[in-house]
Amino acid sequence: MHLLRPELGLIQETLLLTLHARALDAGSPGAILGDRLSAELAARIDYDFGRLKVKPDLVATTALRAKKLDDAVRAFVAARPGCVVIDLGCGLDTRMWRCDPPPGVDWYDVDFPEVVALRAECLPGGSHLVGADLTSSGRLADVPGDRPAMIVAEGLLPFMPGDSFAAMARDLTRHFPSGELAINGYTRFAAWAMKYHPSIKALGVKAAQGFDDPREPESWGAGLELAEEQLLVRAPEVAGFPQPLRALTRLTALSTALSRQGARVLRYRF
């Protein structure tokens, strides 16, 4: 079997963290996402995944947030079969294969050029690949802007500096006539605390971006309107979490303030 040896920077290396978490979920008895393609891909990569120190809580929350974002994509595509899907900071995510959009949907996977090159090597075919720095202008030059768009950004928000995520959101919503933006949100405290998480600490990444009020993006000048906030500690899938994580998660779910410090999925219309 041909092994892939990725050469990535610190931020780009986080894609291996989420890939590994999805692969571990796929191999667990009570898989939440069940992404076998991610497991097969992780097995082909020459990398010491053990250094990432991935714990059951990260496996469960990564799988659950991916599942909820997939659900949002499927619902949008089902209602608008001729739409465009934009997966921002896609890394080595296999979302397109999990969602299996109909032929009329144009799917664009967007990430740093070196990530897109790696993706082309190990996940050939299917989507349009766009290599771009998401903090810069011109990121949408090759994406048609005449159809509704489903824009999904998983794990991207805390790694974009300053107001660059808000600026990107403005560019995106101006480019398309209508659509949705689906993200996994972080409070300011949760984003700040990420640097102390063993896996993030192992990579040496300093994440810092987040917002507390789910309606804050409505003030970004991007025409966003909150459609849904899902607090994942209250999701039914928590019943399948391993103990003691399940008990701790259910305890956290009793408080909305504490629930928001955990994983949440936010959908905005524009």
Side-chain angles (χ1 to χ4, degrees):
M1 180 174 61
H2 173 61
L3 290 178
L4 302 165
R5 294 177 174 82
E7 297 291 336
L8 301 168
L10 286 180
I11 296 297
Q12 295 91 323
E13 199 172 353
T14 59
L15 69 86
L16 298 174
L17 174 60
T18 51
L19 173 67
H20 183 47
R22 292 194 304 272
L24 291 176
D25 169 74
S28 66
I32 296 169
L33 187 64
D35 185 356
R36 295 300 311 170
L37 182 55
S38 281
E40 294 168 9
L41 178 55
R44 292 180 54 215
I45 292 180
D46 183 10
Y47 182 82
D48 179 14
F49 287 105
R51 70 182 287 263
L52 299 177
K53 304 176 182 178
V54 172
K55 305 296 184 186
D57 64 329
L58 185 59
V59 174
T61 55
T62 299
L64 183 54
R65 80 184 190 191
K67 182 179 180 182
K68 297 303 183 183
L69 288 167
D70 286 356
D71 288 345
V73 173
R74 290 190 193 100
F76 188 92
V77 166
R80 302 163 186 81
C83 70
V84 171
V85 178
I86 312 292
D87 195 344
L88 299 171
C90 60
L92 293 179
D93 199 355
T94 58
R95 176 165 286 115
M96 191 189 71
W97 285 268
R98 298 195 305 265
C99 292
D100 191 23
V105 172
D106 273 340
W107 191 293
Y108 289 81
D109 285 311
V110 186
D111 212 316
F112 289 106
E114 57 269 40
V115 173
V116 165
L118 175 63
R119 188 177 179 89
E121 183 179 1
C122 58
L123 286 169
S127 68
H128 305 280
L129 300 180
V130 179
D133 180 347
L134 292 174
T135 64
S136 65
S137 60
R139 61 181 77 86
L140 298 175
D142 298 325
V143 181
D146 58 348
R147 285 181 278 170
M150 178 69 210
I151 303 163
V152 59
E154 181 178 358
L156 182 61
L157 173 64
F159 302 111
M160 292 188 69
D163 67 348
S164 57
F165 193 92
M168 179 185 69
R170 287 190 290 273
D171 285 349
L172 289 165
T173 57
R174 289 166 185 162
H175 188 75
F176 299 105
S178 63
E180 287 189 7
L181 170 66
I183 65 175
N184 63 303
Y186 300 80
T187 63
R188 288 179 173 83
F189 175 78
W192 171 83
M194 279 181 69
K195 62 178 173 287
Y196 297 108
H197 191 285
S199 298
I200 297 296
K201 197 172 181 179
L203 291 172
V205 175
K206 292 179 173 59
Q209 182 82 322
F211 55 86
D212 299 331
D213 183 350
R215 292 195 176 275
E216 182 173 320
E218 294 180 343
S219 68
W220 290 351
L224 297 172
E225 177 187 2
L226 179 66
E228 183 182 28
E229 178 189 31
Q230 295 186 64
L231 304 177
L232 299 192
V233 296
R234 297 177 176 175
E237 289 87 351
V238 169
F241 281 13
Q243 291 286 25
L245 177 61
R246 180 167 71 245
L248 178 61
T249 303
R250 283 179 163 164
L251 184 63
T252 301
L254 298 175
S255 164
T256 298
L258 289 176
S259 296
R260 282 189 169 139
Q261 299 304 327
R264 55 180 178 160
V265 165
L266 304 164
R267 289 193 305 111
Y268 300 90
R269 300 186 191 94
F270 62 88

